[in-house]
Amino acid sequence: MRYVVAVPAEEFLAQPLTVPVGQPLRVAVYSRLAHGIRTQTFPLGTVLPKESDLGARLGVSRTVVREALMLLEEDGLIRTRRGVGRFVAHTLPRPGLEQLQPLEETLASAEQPVGAQRLEMTLQRTTDYVVRGLELDEDTNAWFCETRLSRGEEPLALVQEHIPAGAELRERIPAAADHVQQLQEGSGTLLHALGELLGPVLGPGRCTVTAGMAGATRGKLLGLRPADPVLILTQSVQLAGKAAYLAKYLIAPTGDPLSILQPAQPGAVPPSP
């Protein structure tokens, strides 16, 4: 994966903002700033320009900049110091998640089933987050799938998933490349559809858990205010040693706890009946 040589920040921000067809403006701003961080235009540990300055230089509103900065912080590229400003992280993160079952199965129980509503599955240009998480070259496409999980009328989570496309999909998940239409027509999460198609072959995976805010766009889908808190799980999964699947789960605060089954350690003695 190659990046161009860093240019001065003023020159970097003055370059026209490219927004691929179908990509939200906040994602385009996120990608521009993430690229600046990775190319050391904004060196590690340094302060970023203010929201208003970034908006003026990039030609977008402060709201768009704020949502892009929120995504950068979620992905570990920047940190906020209250009363001081936003700073580039001292070290750049790698994405991850360890639970390989679909989130609708994790959240469901016999008494409280979870419904899934597929909102979108489209081919999109990759962002810095997807390039890193799926180990793709820049300027490539990847499949993006967005699904809302609900219990009755109550939204529980928003699942945003990515898998490679084209030749990369053919190389890493051959069966998926032969059944893209089947994946597109699924009603649940993409991980659920992949499991039905491939069987239990995915893994290993890594997971990170962070706290964040819903934001205006995602908050609307979850019935939350932009500043409402959400639990964010970032999951990356391999298949045959190659990055195959990347997801971000935004879990809304509810009255019910999130329970995760933890199997016994090897050699543990089971309880007596």
Side-chain angles (χ1 to χ4, degrees):
M1 201 188 310
R2 295 189 183 94
Y3 290 97
V4 298
V5 176
V7 297
E10 291 287 343
E11 181 181 341
F12 177 82
L13 292 172
Q15 297 170 4
L17 183 65
T18 301
V19 185
V21 176
Q23 185 179 84
L25 191 55
R26 67 184 184 281
V27 177
V29 174
Y30 164 94
S31 297
R32 167 63 65 82
L33 296 177
H35 182 69
I37 290 170
R38 296 230 167 242
T39 58
Q40 295 290 296
T41 294
F42 305 111
L44 299 181
T46 59
V47 66
L48 286 175
K50 295 180 179 179
E51 286 180 6
S52 56
D53 292 338
L54 288 172
R57 296 176 189 181
L58 294 171
V60 299
S61 69
R62 288 187 63 178
T63 299
V64 169
V65 171
R66 189 175 298 117
E67 289 209 340
L69 292 172
M70 181 179 68
L71 294 175
L72 288 168
E73 185 156 14
E74 285 178 6
D75 295 340
L77 296 177
I78 68 172
R79 295 287 182 265
T80 298
R81 299 180 190 172
R82 295 189 181 278
V84 180
R86 292 183 175 91
F87 291 76
V88 179
H90 288 284
T91 57
L92 300 185
R94 298 177 60 184
L97 189 102
E98 294 171 340
Q99 292 294 324
L100 298 187
Q101 68 177 1
L103 187 62
E104 56 264 53
E105 296 179 15
T106 301
L107 298 178
S109 65
E111 299 78 19
Q112 296 182 309
V114 170
Q117 179 188 7
R118 179 75 67 82
L119 303 176
E120 177 182 358
M121 183 164 173
T122 55
L123 202 59
Q124 294 187 356
R125 293 294 291 271
T126 53
T127 64
D128 178 82
Y129 162 70
V130 177
V131 165
R132 290 185 294 114
L134 289 180
E135 299 173 6
L136 298 173
D137 292 330
E138 292 184 44
D139 301 323
T140 58
N141 293 327
W143 286 104
F144 169 73
C145 181
E146 186 170 56
T147 307
R148 177 169 51 201
L149 305 182
S150 303
R151 182 177 290 127
E153 298 297 321
E154 180 186 22
L156 294 179
L158 192 64
V159 181
Q160 299 176 324
E161 302 166 286
H162 308 265
I163 58 173
E168 289 289 351
L169 182 61
R170 170 79 47 192
E171 178 187 352
R172 302 184 194 193
I173 321 178
D178 292 330
H179 296 86
V180 169
Q181 184 174 353
Q182 179 180 334
L183 296 177
Q184 287 180 289
E185 294 173 349
S187 58
T189 60
L190 185 56
L191 185 58
H192 175 78
L194 287 170
E196 289 191 327
L197 178 64
L198 305 175
V201 298
L202 289 170
R206 291 175 60 87
C207 172
T208 59
V209 182
T210 61
M213 295 187 297
T217 303
R218 302 179 306 188
K220 185 176 182 180
L221 294 174
L222 290 172
L224 301 174
R225 295 168 298 185
D228 282 345
V230 290
L231 183 66
I232 301 171
L233 308 182
T234 303
Q235 181 183 44
S236 62
V237 179
Q238 294 184 346
L239 177 61
K242 295 183 178 180
Y245 171 88
L246 178 69
K248 184 180 291 187
Y249 305 151
L250 292 96
I251 302 176
T254 67
D256 298 318
L258 172 62
S259 299
I260 298 177
L261 178 65
Q262 296 179 309
Q265 293 181 338
V269 179
S272 302

